[in-house]
Amino acid sequence: MPDQRDQASEVLEFWFVETRPHQWFAKEPAFDDLVQQRFLRLTRRAIAGDLDAWDAEPTGALALVLLLDQFPRQIWRDTAMAFAGDPQALALSQKAVELGWVAAESAQARRQFWLMPLMHSEDLTVQEAALPLFERFADPRTADFARRHRDVIARFGRFPHRNAALGRVSSAEELAFLQTPGSRF
């Protein structure tokens, strides 16, 4: 069985070397299937807390953020499980900011994914605190997405596009919003 460092390196190699940025956010069934085939078991272990020791150093912690925040969105797209790792990922992202791991990261793409759990939070306080971090550590396009996410949380207190997956009833205003171009991210 591969050791922790090998597994963390495999996650990072896959996400930042083998895949391309256009794949990270596109809804492509083939890519979702690839993530599931390669990382389902490890993602389940991360959500179950079996990989919590990875948070002791930046390389393992960033791999764990991907396993908790990004991979579930591919593996379990449009289901409640897509968000199952969000609380753990958020805590880890906040820890990485606090410990200076995000600031010390030289690669912009890696900094962006360190911060992504903040953007995915449905807590307005978290969203507000994240904006200056995205402006400082991410590219302008990603910072703009962070502002759009914050605006949705400020308006609705949650992401309406998650309602169906999470079994939440959408308000008429949310349903109207979901019909507008660019509302689903």
Side-chain angles (χ1 to χ4, degrees):
M1 175 176 248
D3 72 10
Q4 167 187 325
R5 186 173 305 275
D6 290 343
Q7 290 176 316
S9 295
E10 181 184 353
V11 168
L12 297 175
E13 176 82 10
F14 171 77
W15 197 253
F16 295 112
V17 178
E18 294 176 29
T19 65
R20 297 293 169 250
H22 75 272
Q23 294 174 291
W24 295 336
F25 305 111
K27 293 179 181 178
E28 296 178 8
F31 184 65
D32 291 354
D33 289 345
L34 177 63
V35 174
Q36 183 176 33
Q37 289 167 13
R38 292 202 42 195
F39 297 104
L40 173 63
R41 197 168 142 193
L42 206 54
T43 300
R44 282 190 171 146
R45 289 185 61 210
I47 291 170
D50 294 345
L51 306 179
D52 286 353
W54 289 24
D55 77 353
E57 52 84 27
T59 298
L62 180 55
L64 190 54
V65 165
L66 293 170
L67 289 168
L68 293 167
D69 185 71
Q70 293 300 310
F71 290 11
R73 284 166 166 75
Q74 263 82 39
I75 294 170
W76 296 292
R77 187 177 300 283
D78 299 323
T79 73
M81 277 300 294
F83 314 107
D86 283 9
Q88 296 157 275
L90 176 60
L92 191 48
S93 177
Q94 291 169 323
K95 174 182 175 177
V97 170
E98 193 175 298
L99 293 177
W101 292 348
V102 176
E105 177 57 63
S106 62
Q108 179 274 317
R110 289 178 185 237
R111 291 191 306 264
Q112 169 181 312
F113 282 99
W114 269 123
L115 299 175
M116 205 59 64
L118 304 172
M119 187 188 303
H120 291 154
S121 174
E122 290 188 315
D123 182 323
L124 184 57
T125 304
V126 171
Q127 290 282 337
E128 292 288 350
L131 289 182
L133 297 170
F134 277 100
E135 290 167 0
R136 178 176 174 197
F137 296 119
D139 61 82
R141 184 170 185 241
T142 302
D144 182 56
F145 274 104
R147 280 187 289 281
R148 289 176 49 207
H149 280 70
R150 186 271 326 261
D151 292 348
V152 170
I153 295 301
R155 181 174 173 187
F156 299 109
R158 61 190 186 175
F159 292 117
H161 66 277
R162 294 183 185 177
N163 288 351
L166 295 174
R168 303 187 301 208
V169 176
S170 295
S171 69
E173 184 182 7
E174 288 174 326
L175 290 171
F177 170 75
L178 290 172
Q179 297 306 309
T180 62
S183 65
R184 296 178 186 266
F185 32 72

